[in-house]
Amino acid sequence: MSVDTATVRRIAGLARIAVSDAEAEAMVPELNNILGWIEQLGEVDTSGVTPMTAVIANTLRLRDDVVTDGDVRDAVLANAPQAEHGFFAVPKVIE
């Protein structure tokens, strides 16, 4: 793919960036070089490379999910200023 001055102006317009004619002319070879590098990356054979999420292999240290403080609702609600039907009651803030 090749970039010309009209394409640079169109991209600048879409990005809402003010670009002068001299700046647009200077960007044409730079963008063409970047697209050349991308084409080179497309030629690399990655069929034997497994996808990875990080450079360093990390494993999460997980613990067993065990309920340790369950079934103490009444004790927790005893500290509440106001409780209704087994829940904290809070004042209405939207009228």
Side-chain angles (χ1 to χ4, degrees), residues 31-65:
L31 291 175
N32 282 326
N33 285 337
I34 292 170
L35 291 175
W37 292 334
I38 293 171
E39 288 177 6
Q40 286 179 356
L41 287 175
E43 296 172 0
V44 176
D45 180 25
T46 58
S47 60
V49 179
T50 58
M52 58 184 180
T53 57
V55 178
I56 301 171
N58 293 326
T59 56
L60 296 176
R61 294 174 291 203
L62 301 176
R63 61 174 172 79
D64 293 333
D65 192 11

Side-chain angles (χ1 to χ4, degrees), residues 14-32:
L14 291 172
R16 301 191 186 272
I17 299 172
V19 176
S20 68
D21 291 336
E23 291 172 335
E25 289 291 331
M27 285 185 195
V28 169
E30 291 180 21
L31 291 175
N32 282 326

Side-chain angles (χ1 to χ4, degrees), residues 70-84:
D71 203 24
V72 291
R73 179 176 70 177
D74 295 331
V76 171
L77 289 176
N79 295 324
Q82 185 178 1
E84 293 179 7

